[in-house]
Amino acid sequence: MRDGPPSPDQLIGEIAAARPATIADYMAAANGHYYATRDPLGAAGDFTTAPEISQMFGEMIGVWIADLWSRAGSPAFRYVELGPGRGTLAIDALRTMARLGCTPAGIDLVETSPTLRAAQLTRLPAAEHHDEVDALPDDLPLIIVANEFFDALPIHQYVRVADGWRERMVERRGGLLAPVAGDIPADDAIPASLRGQSEGTIVETAPVSAAIMQRCAFRLARQGGAMLVIDYGYAGPAAGDTLQAVKAHRFVDPFADPGEVDLTAHVDFTALGEAAQGADMSVSPMTTQGDWLRRLGIDARLQSLAAAAPTRAGELKGQRDRLVDAQAMGDLFKVMAFTAPGWPAPAGFTGDAV
């Protein structure tokens, strides 16, 4: 007999034991507990994001925002970040923006983790926290940054079986959780271009991501502003299983330790773009993180930092290479921007430098 209410881990296990859960429900429950109970970042955590690798990443985002703001006529605006981690990106971006004369009227962070909220407030004491996009203030234009945010949102998976498509479910088998094909036909959930795939093929959809993107887009269409999305992903529609789990900087079984590992999936940038177009937003071409950072001037920033601290030149070069090189994060991570009607085209998506 258990004393008191079930822990989040026990609850996840009981849900899975009682009935099969969709991959989306499983991912939402597991990640909800995971992010609420720890700071997962850095060498002592499970993974490291670009802002934690180098100050240059946040600085280039600050340059991007200041350039867009200046060409938009220097309006008052709010800086918004979705899933801001420890606040490292915001600190670097805001410092760079201030140096360029661009100071937001407010700093608004969309974050649900109590642990990460506390870490963010130590660095950004003036920031306001919000549980969801719909709670953001509606008084000014918004410039929204979402770095490695959409990859952690729930996805649905569908698998091709002999007589069509079925949603992939999670159920307990022999004391372990495992994915299985559901019983209900799900052919209508598959893009027409992918329905003819061979047996065993997996297709993913992300309706939660699309809904949040659409809410951001309609908010920006009303208030003005722009949104920058950076994440590992692809241009869909495409088939393939991208669900993955990371613990202590290693890939592990996504179903072995629910609530104690970071569950993510690759982001379909085409689907994000389609979600925003209904709000009459301008959507940039998708580009790679490496190309985007080079166009914004990361190499010039590297030279400046190395000149100021010659003993760190090799370390700084290594940080730049990790962010930009195709064999590291440069090609895996993609970038897309969304701008409200009347706002200028954002920098970094063509060959022109800032």
Side-chain angles (χ1 to χ4, degrees), residues 90-330:
I91 287 291
D92 293 333
L94 290 165
R95 182 185 65 251
T96 301
M97 291 158 57
R99 192 170 67 244
L100 297 172
C102 174
T103 302
I107 300 169
D108 295 272
L109 308 178
V110 177
E111 177 64 72
T112 58
S113 166
T115 302
L116 291 175
R117 279 191 174 195
Q120 292 153 16
L121 286 176
T122 63
R123 294 181 168 189
L124 300 160
E128 294 289 333
H129 277 114
H130 309 279
D131 289 333
E132 58 184 1
V133 168
D134 289 345
L136 290 169
D138 59 5
D139 56 341
L140 293 171
L142 308 175
I143 297 184
I144 304 172
V145 177
N147 178 63
E148 291 199 56
F149 169 76
F150 285 101
D151 64 275
L153 297 182
I155 62 163
H156 291 265
Q157 286 190 331
Y158 301 89
V159 60
R160 177 64 191 262
V161 297
D163 57 347
W165 292 89
R166 301 290 186 272
E167 182 156 13
R168 226 175 172 210
M169 312 295 286
V170 180
E171 69 176 25
R172 189 174 294 275
R173 288 188 169 184
L176 300 175
L177 297 179
V180 298
D183 298 327
I184 301 173
D187 298 66
D188 289 346
I190 309 303
S193 61
L194 298 178
R195 288 178 190 166
Q197 298 286 322
S198 60
E199 189 171 344
T201 298
I202 291 173
V203 169
E204 298 173 347
T205 65
V208 171
S209 292
I212 291 175
M213 184 68 246
Q214 189 174 63
R215 288 172 187 162
C216 289
F218 277 103
R219 179 64 72 91
L220 291 169
R222 291 196 306 270
Q223 294 175 226
M227 182 170 179
L228 181 69
V229 177
I230 305 174
D231 227 313
Y232 48 88
Y234 59 96
D241 179 3
T242 74
L243 179 66
Q244 61 188 34
V246 173
K247 187 175 181 64
H249 300 270
R250 291 189 172 188
F251 291 108
V252 295
D253 182 351
F255 306 102
D257 202 6
E260 298 300 322
V261 299
D262 176 46
L263 294 176
T264 62
H266 287 217
V267 176
D268 181 351
F269 277 80
T270 302
L272 292 183
E274 290 172 349
Q277 286 173 341
D280 199 29
M281 297 288 289
S282 294
V283 181
S284 78
M286 185 185 77
T287 191
T288 66
Q289 176 175 293
D291 285 345
W292 188 78
L293 290 172
R294 279 189 289 263
R295 290 168 186 153
L296 288 174
I298 193 171
D299 291 327
R301 181 56 176 155
L302 170 63
Q303 292 176 4
S304 175
L305 290 172
T311 59
R312 296 188 59 222
E315 174 192 352
L316 292 165
K317 174 68 161 51
Q319 293 173 0
R320 176 266 181 205
D321 291 348
R322 189 171 173 186
L323 294 174
V324 169
D325 281 1
Q327 296 77 17
M329 299 174 71

Side-chain angles (χ1 to χ4, degrees), residues 27-84:
M27 194 173 175
N31 273 354
H33 173 58
Y34 176 80
Y35 282 101
T37 55
R38 74 205 70 208
D39 177 351
L41 296 161
D46 292 326
F47 59 89
T48 300
T49 59
E52 305 293 336
I53 292 170
S54 173
Q55 70 185 70
M56 290 181 280
F57 184 79
E59 289 173 345
M60 292 301 100
I61 291 177
V63 167
W64 183 85
I65 292 172
D67 170 74
L68 184 69
W69 165 81
S70 176
R71 290 187 291 114
S74 306
F77 73 98
R78 291 182 175 274
Y79 173 91
V80 177
E81 195 170 338
L82 310 185

